[in-house]
Amino acid sequence: MNTSRSNPRGSRSRLRTAAASAAAVALAATGLAALPSSASAAADGIVVQYRTSASGASADQSEPWLKVRNAGSASVPLSSVKVRYYFKADSPSAAYRFACSWAVKGCANITGTFGTLASPTATADRYLEIGFTPGAGSLAPGADTGDMQLRFHQASWARLVQSDDYSFGPERTAYGDWSKVTAQVNGATVWGEAPGGNGPTDPPDPTDPPTDPPTDPPADGPRLFDDFNYSSHTDPKINANGWSVRSNSGGPGVPGATWAAENVTFAAQSGNSVMNLETSTAGTGASTEHTEILTQSMKFKNGTYASRVKFSDAPRSGPDGDRIVQTFFTINDLKAPMADDYAEYDFEYLPNGGWGEPANILYTTSWETYRPDPWEAVNAHSEVRASYAGWHDLVVTIDNNQITYYVDGQHFGTHGAAYLPERPMSINFNQWLIDLEGQPSTTPRSYDQQVDYVLHVKDQVLTPSQVNAMVGAYRSAGTTFQDTVPAG
């Protein structure tokens, strides 16, 4: 069954009624950090590596990604290790919240608390302290924790300034040893330099509690989780697990294009399997290849949908400029023009614009119905005009009252009861070209969209932090697939 969207969206812009502007992100250039202090070479052998995926001078949230490595000769229990990232509060009364997007050790095994420095400096008066539960295990000599993709933001979601933060390194876009983050083992500093006059024993500020209060994910119930741990598009597990890699013709997108199943591939990345959707063209319909993967069954309705998706602003090869659409969405079939039981809920990223937009824009759209010819639609949408290149946590929840979208833990849009689904839907990812007008060249080019995982929890509304905890629990248990959502 083809559940792909067939409606042309070229006239959709006239249906949009609101816009959310996004401020441009200013980049800051700072010098390299000083060499590690003598504590960095302590006998314990713990080394902290750092990178950031949010390098702007200001940002919605700071994203210190960390690895802890054991360069010593003895095993170290991670529960004895504390890591501190130092920053300057945006105001004396600012409160902060911590989140773990993904970690090899499992987000459920990582804690984050905030503290206030006894001796504030021009670049630090607070710190984020990362700890580990016993479930994180130990680090053998030569081993590291793998990725810990961490982030924090103001409780009010006001933008925060990073350029004056002691531990922030905007140029650090790849992991490397970083002495401006400290590590302690059983309370003794073994790596890095704290801001002047501040040791590792500063007590936490009791008025600045750890992030969101710990909340356990809901009790086990019907859910789908897939880590996309497959060998290729012909892996029999794909079909057995309820997915279909599209190869049939039709819309949306460039007339005459094909849907190339072989361009859906899988590869290991940072110790995890990642799915890649490649879309390519040489400027003609016949040379254009779109990609899509979708569930075979339309059995998903109310509840929580989540995925971690990497959007791309530039092609992997060839000239840029094509009006490409990168997506994560749910949908059912349009039984008749303007049928009132149609439903569709989209994340759509347009890195080069399209549908009347001149540049990159991210849409979330909730559909009640539409008519393809002559074009008419009933939908609600939210949008931000900004670059979303890179990995993002996408969550949409549907209850009996509304549809709510989140991007990277931040509320993105809410649409009302008029757009709630009447029938179950499929879950889809695709990447396709709106047309060939954005880039007229006949030079071949290709674009990538990557997907880390997908999660659906039936009839339960989860917070983004609960989604992260649930995904972390699956990965800690070594579970790569589960589907207990009943058919029909």
Side-chain angles (χ1 to χ4, degrees), residues 20-376:
S21 61
V25 176
L27 296 179
T30 63
L32 293 177
L35 292 175
S37 69
S38 58
S40 302
D44 300 77
I46 290 295
V47 174
V48 179
Q49 295 188 321
Y50 160 84
R51 61 158 292 194
T52 181
S53 63
S55 59
S58 66
D60 291 331
Q61 53 191 346
S62 183
E63 299 186 23
W65 292 12
L66 303 173
K67 287 183 181 180
V68 177
R69 179 167 58 90
N70 183 1
S73 58
S75 181
V76 176
L78 278 170
S79 59
S80 69
V81 177
K82 301 289 187 183
V83 176
R84 286 187 179 181
Y85 179 95
Y86 301 89
F87 64 97
K88 182 76 171 179
D90 292 85
S91 70
S93 61
Y96 292 86
R97 299 291 182 260
F98 164 79
C100 171
S101 296
W102 183 75
V104 172
K105 291 291 184 180
C107 285
N109 293 316
I110 296 172
T111 64
T113 58
F114 293 96
T116 300
L117 293 181
S119 303
T121 71
T123 59
D125 54 15
R126 307 276 186 98
Y127 60 83
L128 168 63
E129 183 172 274
I130 302 302
F132 302 88
T133 71
S138 297
L139 283 184
D144 64 47
T145 59
D147 263 347
M148 294 188 291
Q149 297 179 7
L150 312 177
R151 50 194 168 90
F152 66 91
H153 58 85
Q154 292 202 61
S156 65
W157 278 110
R159 288 182 69 83
L160 50 78
V161 175
Q162 301 188 101
S163 56
D164 61 354
D165 291 348
Y166 175 84
S167 295
F168 177 58
E171 75 285 356
R172 295 283 174 154
T173 57
Y175 278 113
D177 295 357
W178 192 237
S179 65
K180 289 192 172 184
V181 175
T182 61
Q184 298 89 41
V185 175
N186 294 320
T189 300
V190 297
W191 172 263
E193 291 181 345
N198 294 279
T201 56
D202 305 317
D205 181 355
T207 66
D208 196 9
T211 72
D212 304 325
T215 55
D216 294 328
D220 193 34
R223 64 183 68 167
L224 166 72
F225 173 74
D226 201 329
D227 217 10
F228 295 113
N229 190 17
Y230 303 110
S231 59
S232 72
H233 74 285
T234 60
D235 190 329
K237 291 191 298 181
I238 293 178
N239 182 73
N241 289 347
W243 294 98
S244 176
V245 181
R246 185 179 176 186
S247 59
N248 59 302
S249 61
V254 174
T258 58
W259 294 82
E262 66 274 15
N263 290 345
V264 177
T265 58
F266 305 88
Q269 188 176 113
S270 300
N272 187 53
S273 180
V274 171
M275 177 172 66
N276 190 76
L277 307 180
E278 177 188 335
T279 294
S280 61
T281 188
T284 65
S287 67
T288 301
E289 295 182 344
H290 297 152
T291 45
E292 179 167 23
I293 186 168
L294 62 152
T295 58
Q296 299 166 15
S297 175
M298 288 192 290
K299 62 178 184 177
F300 308 99
K301 194 181 175 188
N302 286 18
T304 299
Y305 299 82
S307 185
R308 185 164 173 79
V309 177
K310 186 177 184 180
F311 297 128
S312 300
D313 274 358
R316 184 176 66 189
S317 62
D320 197 2
D322 289 292
R323 295 169 179 171
I324 198 161
V325 185
Q326 301 171 345
T327 75
F328 165 43
F329 64 101
T330 68
I331 192 171
N332 60 29
D333 53 331
L334 182 72
K335 293 185 176 296
M338 302 301 287
D340 61 6
D341 63 351
Y342 176 74
E344 179 180 353
Y345 306 97
D346 302 331
F347 288 93
E348 294 173 308
Y349 181 54
L350 282 62
N352 293 317
W355 295 326
E357 293 290 335
N360 39 27
I361 187 168
L362 177 65
Y363 291 109
T364 59
T365 308
S366 302
W367 291 76
E368 169 58 19
T369 190
Y370 73 95
R371 177 175 58 208
D373 189 21
W375 178 252
E376 183 179 359

